[in-house]
Amino acid sequence: GVKAAPPPPPPAAASAGAAPQQSPGIGLADLLTAFVMQNSLSPPAEKCLRDLPEVIIISVMRAGPLPQIPGYDSTAVFAQRVQQIMVEVQQQQMQQQQAQQQQQ
């Protein structure tokens, strides 16, 4: 009979190394404050951002400054980006779960 190859080890070390490197002294809160000031977000928008999961916050900030769209409030542009990123992150998590289920 044909022997099945052993399953590959889980990529635990790889995922740990993929986390964004935070330099000591600059915490996520400081980056977030700078992002809020840079994009002149309203206090409710800032609170919304602080309440999000860290993975979402990092993705929102990594996408760069919010585009200045005439006739649109920066808070509305911000809200749209957050929703878009939350959908993307959910899709990534679902794909990862499906991949894990296929390995079992």
Side-chain angles (χ1 to χ4, degrees):
V2 179
K3 287 180 72 171
S15 62
Q21 293 297 315
Q22 300 240 323
S23 56
I26 300 181
L28 190 62
D30 295 328
L31 294 172
L32 198 148
T33 302
F35 182 83
V36 168
M37 287 169 59
Q38 180 185 22
N39 295 288
S40 52
L41 293 178
S42 64
E46 179 179 359
K47 183 184 186 311
C48 165
L49 185 60
R50 289 186 188 278
D51 290 344
L52 291 169
E54 196 168 302
V55 60
I56 307 278
I57 296 174
I58 290 169
S59 298
V60 168
M61 295 194 298
R62 192 176 273 168
L66 294 170
Q68 299 294 319
I69 304 174
Y72 281 89
D73 183 44
S74 62
T75 304
V77 178
F78 161 76
Q80 198 175 0
R81 173 180 289 182
V82 169
Q83 293 221 293
Q84 193 180 344
I85 284 174
M86 287 179 93
V87 169
E88 287 172 10
V89 168
Q90 280 179 330
Q91 285 175 342
Q92 285 175 355
Q93 288 174 343
M94 282 173 64
Q95 285 171 352
Q96 286 173 351
Q97 285 172 352
Q98 285 171 349
Q100 286 170 353
Q101 285 168 356
Q102 285 168 0
Q103 285 176 359
Q104 287 167 2

